[in-house]
Amino acid sequence: MSDGATGSHLDHLPFPVLIGDIGGTNARFSLVPDAETPAERYPNVHTADFPSIDDAIDAVVFGAGGAKPQSAMLALAGPIAGDKVPLTNCPWVVEPKRLVARFGFAEVVLLNDFEAQSLALPELTESDVDPIGDGTMTADGPRLVVGPGTGLGAGGLLKARDMWVPVPGEGGHIDLSPVSERDFAVWPLIEHLNGRVSAETVLCGAGMVRLYRAVAQADGMIPTLDTPEEVTTAGLDGSNRQATETLDLFATHLGRVAGNLALVFMATGGVFLAGGISARIRPVLHAGGFREAFTAKWPHEAIMHRMATSIVIKEDAALSGIAAFARAPATFAVRLAGRRWRG
């Protein structure tokens, strides 16, 4: 049954715990055997290869043999509400009750994917991040993670009563507006989704292609690149001028959005860029446009210059965050009312 009790918090989950980071394109699974043993990684799953998450788990986890998970904690790319949870950029619909019935889980816990990303932030070391600029992080200050990938995710992490409190949300869907003269030339040519340009309209894989097409049209050119990979490759190697400008604009708008959210959270503990795209365009993010846009927040430029920004380069950081919560739930204040199902 679903545990909808007010203020419901997790004391423990029965081990082994299946943990998962489920995005629009990829699903990543690991098994946490107990509170001490390192997690065991399963092969990545392309969501398009399976009709449902149930079938993916059956094939990749239970089909692998080995220890059978007794419970599951899954982070999903979308808001968690009700007994049927659709992913924002994937046709999968996660039904915890069905997972309990099919696999015999004692419990299933659902998190937002960037809630999981934020849970990983306390464990990040200097070798796990690539700093952009020279800001500094305060040890217990609020932290922010923003990640362009299949979609655009964002999440916060606050310290209160010696516990980390993750703040999930859908910050990727805030409105995005033109600022520069070039923006105003490009903006009318961007494909609008439901009548608006949100941050995710531009700052994700498909958004990069939308932005590239608009830049090409603004230059009177016919777009010749069709995928984010093509735009990224051509932009980084300089073989396509419009693709190069697209990456520059992408970094600038990412800086604006990250800066806006950093002001909301007053993220003195650092702003972290996650998601596959951030790691792939590291040279562009270091080139200056990202940081310049991030700090251009009059009248608070001085505050923004002091905030640290960095790229998360640790592989599977979200899974590490979920595993940390599964092993030591008392470290985090995560309210699970309506997000916890028991067999």
Side-chain angles (χ1 to χ4, degrees), residues 24-26 45-51 90-92:
T25 302
N26 296 297
V45 169
H46 292 293
T47 56
D49 292 341
F50 294 90
C90 168
W92 282 4

Side-chain angles (χ1 to χ4, degrees), residues 3-332:
D3 182 358
T6 301
S8 176
H9 297 284
L10 184 67
D11 296 320
H12 72 281
L13 276 179
F15 291 106
V17 181
L18 172 66
I19 61 174
D21 174 25
I22 318 300
T25 302
N26 296 297
R28 302 171 175 87
F29 296 103
S30 289
L31 188 72
V32 181
D34 53 50
E36 304 294 336
T37 307
E40 302 170 8
R41 189 74 158 78
Y42 296 106
N44 282 357
V45 169
H46 292 293
T47 56
D49 292 341
F50 294 90
S52 70
I53 189 174
D54 311 50
D55 295 318
I57 290 174
D58 192 29
V60 176
V61 177
F62 286 84
K68 179 182 177 181
Q70 299 300 306
S71 57
M73 181 178 289
L74 307 173
L76 311 180
I80 312 300
D83 292 329
K84 296 183 179 181
V85 183
L87 273 68
T88 302
N89 293 297
C90 168
W92 282 4
V93 177
V94 180
E95 299 184 47
K97 291 182 178 178
R98 193 170 66 188
L99 292 173
V100 167
R102 180 167 178 175
F103 299 114
F105 292 135
E107 295 197 38
V108 172
V109 172
L110 299 184
L111 306 173
N112 172 266
D113 61 335
F114 270 78
E115 190 175 14
Q117 290 280 2
S118 67
L119 292 172
L121 299 182
E123 292 193 337
L124 295 179
T125 65
E126 289 186 3
S127 63
D128 294 327
V129 298
D130 178 14
I132 305 173
D134 55 2
T136 57
M137 293 182 288
T138 59
D140 293 335
R143 304 181 185 189
L144 171 70
V145 59
V146 181
T150 303
L152 178 66
L157 189 71
L158 313 175
K159 193 71 171 289
R161 295 188 176 183
D162 295 323
M163 292 187 294
W164 287 108
V165 185
V167 183
E170 292 296 322
H173 297 277
I174 60 175
D175 286 322
L176 188 62
S177 61
V179 175
S180 68
E181 183 177 345
R182 182 58 166 168
D183 289 343
F184 280 98
V186 169
W187 225 254
L189 304 173
I190 296 174
E191 176 190 359
H192 289 200
L193 302 180
N194 292 314
R196 62 193 286 258
V197 175
S198 70
E200 187 174 275
T201 303
V202 172
L203 298 175
C204 66
M208 182 181 290
V209 177
R210 292 186 193 102
L211 184 58
Y212 159 72
R213 289 173 177 164
V215 169
Q217 290 177 53
D219 286 348
M221 304 291 291
I222 297 175
T224 58
L225 307 175
D226 298 318
T227 68
E229 292 76 17
E230 291 175 351
V231 175
T232 300
T233 299
L236 290 175
D237 67 21
S239 61
N240 183 295
R241 193 184 71 78
Q242 285 74 35
T244 298
E245 184 183 4
T246 295
L247 295 189
D248 291 339
L249 289 174
F250 190 100
T252 296
H253 290 303
L254 183 58
R256 287 176 182 153
V257 170
N260 290 343
L261 294 173
L263 280 173
V264 172
F265 282 94
M266 196 52 64
T268 57
V271 176
F272 301 83
L273 300 180
I277 293 177
S278 299
R280 287 197 293 273
I281 64 169
R282 284 166 68 180
V284 183
L285 293 172
H286 278 286
F290 169 84
R291 184 72 183 176
E292 181 180 352
F294 179 86
T295 56
K297 302 295 181 187
W298 184 89
H300 294 305
E301 288 97 333
I303 292 174
M304 302 305 291
H305 277 287
R306 290 195 294 270
M307 287 187 189
T309 52
S310 59
I311 305 165
V312 178
I313 57 177
K314 180 178 181 178
E315 189 174 357
D316 295 334
L319 285 178
S320 297
I322 303 167
F325 180 41
R327 291 188 180 107
T331 306
F332 303 93

